[in-house]
Amino acid sequence: MYVSHTISSPVGKLQLVAGVHSLRAVLWEGEDGSRIKLGACVEDADHPVLRETEKQLNEYFAGTRKVFDLPLDLAGTDLQKRVWMQLLQIPYGATQTYSQLAAQIGAPAAVRAVGAANGRNPVSIIIPCHRLVGSNGGLTGFAGGLDNKRWLLELEAGRL
């Protein structure tokens, strides 16, 4: 069983989901559940992990937090977890291409698999999947929508 709490943010409503001791998911408004499979969720705005996640997200949106420090419960394949851990290495305000990330995890031919793993990132924003761009630098798919991806990149570039 998971606990959840929905918060308002500059990129819309975000549903935060946690287990007993760690963050399990950050879901975008209107998600249908196909990106991340979760069991039943019970609303608990007072859960310590959810309170801390909300605090850190608010600091991020205010431009005062560049790195998150939260306990994460990442359920995925070995490749997905490697991709997610490498995403954490992309500095605030920077971007990388899918092919660069594939090379960094030692799988240069796995660009499509990297893209699929990126799309399954359970904790959007916290693990900065928005920092991956196409080979030409253009914005590509994002669970929160391209407008929100653009907004997050603009925030990190200091242009908001």
Side-chain angles (χ1 to χ4, degrees):
M1 164 111 50
Y2 296 104
V3 294
S4 70
H5 177 56
T6 300
I7 64 170
S8 294
S9 81
V11 291
K13 293 191 183 298
L14 298 172
Q15 182 185 9
L16 312 178
V17 181
V20 175
H21 301 291
S22 54
L23 185 66
R24 177 69 180 93
V26 175
L27 304 174
W28 296 91
E29 189 171 2
E31 277 200 76
D32 63 4
S34 63
R35 185 171 65 91
I36 301 166
K37 303 290 186 213
L38 295 169
C41 291
V42 174
E43 176 70 22
D44 184 357
D46 292 325
H47 189 280
V49 171
L50 298 180
R51 280 198 329 262
E52 182 61 23
T53 302
E54 181 176 13
K55 174 185 168 282
Q56 290 189 28
L57 280 167
N58 286 335
E59 292 167 351
Y60 170 81
F61 292 130
T64 60
R65 175 172 290 277
K66 294 183 171 45
V67 176
F68 292 94
D69 183 20
L70 296 164
L72 302 176
D73 174 16
L74 301 175
T77 67
D78 288 342
L79 176 69
Q80 288 171 332
K81 290 177 184 178
R82 285 176 35 219
V83 167
W84 300 334
M85 291 301 102
Q86 192 62 42
L87 285 167
L88 289 169
Q89 304 310 309
I90 303 173
Y92 180 94
T95 59
Q96 284 187 356
T97 65
Y98 293 88
S99 59
Q100 288 172 321
L101 193 136
Q104 289 168 346
I105 64 166
V111 175
R112 286 183 185 215
V114 164
N118 190 55
R120 293 264 184 217
N121 172 15
V123 286
S124 292
I125 304 171
I126 308 299
I127 293 180
C129 52
H130 59 277
R131 295 180 189 155
L132 275 189
V133 296
S135 59
N136 64 358
L139 300 186
T140 58
F142 185 61
L146 293 183
D147 287 342
N148 284 333
K149 182 172 186 165
R150 184 175 296 106
W151 192 93
L152 293 169
L153 293 172
E154 292 289 320
L155 169 72
E156 292 184 10
R159 292 193 286 257
L160 294 179

